[in-house]
Amino acid sequence: MKTLRLLLFLPGLGALAWGAVLFSEYAFPLRPDVFGTLGWLVGGPLVHDVLLAPLIGAVGFALSRFLPERSQTPVKTGAVLSGVLTLIAFPLLWRPFGGAANPGLHDADTVTGLLVSVAVVWLGVLVAVFLRRKRVIEG
């Protein structure tokens, strides 16, 4: 087990060192945009740890307490997928042209695409819950 941890630790440490080298090349000499980048680098983890993680933990706890056991796995999976889809869409929701130009990407309606994707996920959740319920009734 110690060998496995070491094998996982060393590449992670190398990636961290490489990230520090790349950031130092970007940051020095200091410019005003570096402080905005530092704000994102510090603010992102703070927002996650202070707001998002406790909220998601509370939702997960509530789901495990109030949903029937056969519905818990599909609903939790749907919640995770909805969160991931929202996280992926966030940069384009925040600033429509904030990313690099990608032909065909910026001419789409991001909000509608996100809503349709999340609706498909929850339709899948409903189907999974129905199939589980049907198996319990038949079995």
Side-chain angles (χ1 to χ4, degrees):
M1 187 62 150
K2 288 182 181 182
T3 306
L4 178 62
R5 285 185 181 180
L6 184 64
L7 289 174
L8 292 173
F9 173 75
L10 290 176
L13 188 62
L16 181 66
W18 181 244
V21 167
L22 292 177
F23 184 74
S24 67
E25 289 176 0
Y26 161 75
F28 296 108
L30 287 177
R31 303 174 310 279
D33 64 325
V34 172
F35 296 106
T37 303
L38 285 174
W40 277 100
L41 288 174
V42 172
L46 281 177
V47 167
H48 175 270
D49 292 349
V50 173
L51 296 175
L52 294 177
L55 176 67
I56 291 168
V59 169
F61 179 74
L63 289 175
S64 67
R65 298 285 294 188
F66 300 114
L67 285 176
E69 192 169 327
R70 67 179 178 270
S71 301
Q72 287 182 10
T73 300
V75 171
K76 288 179 183 179
T77 303
V80 168
L81 290 174
S82 298
V84 169
L85 288 170
T86 304
L87 188 63
I88 290 170
F90 182 76
L92 292 175
L93 293 171
W94 184 267
R95 283 190 314 181
F97 297 100
N102 189 351
L105 180 63
H106 293 296
D107 58 354
D109 183 9
T110 305
V111 174
T112 303
L114 176 62
L115 292 176
V116 168
S117 300
V118 170
V120 168
V121 165
W122 286 99
L123 181 63
V125 168
L126 289 175
V127 168
V129 168
F130 175 73
L131 290 176
R132 283 176 168 236
R133 181 174 179 219
K134 187 175 177 182
R135 264 191 236 139
V136 168
I137 292 172
E138 289 176 356

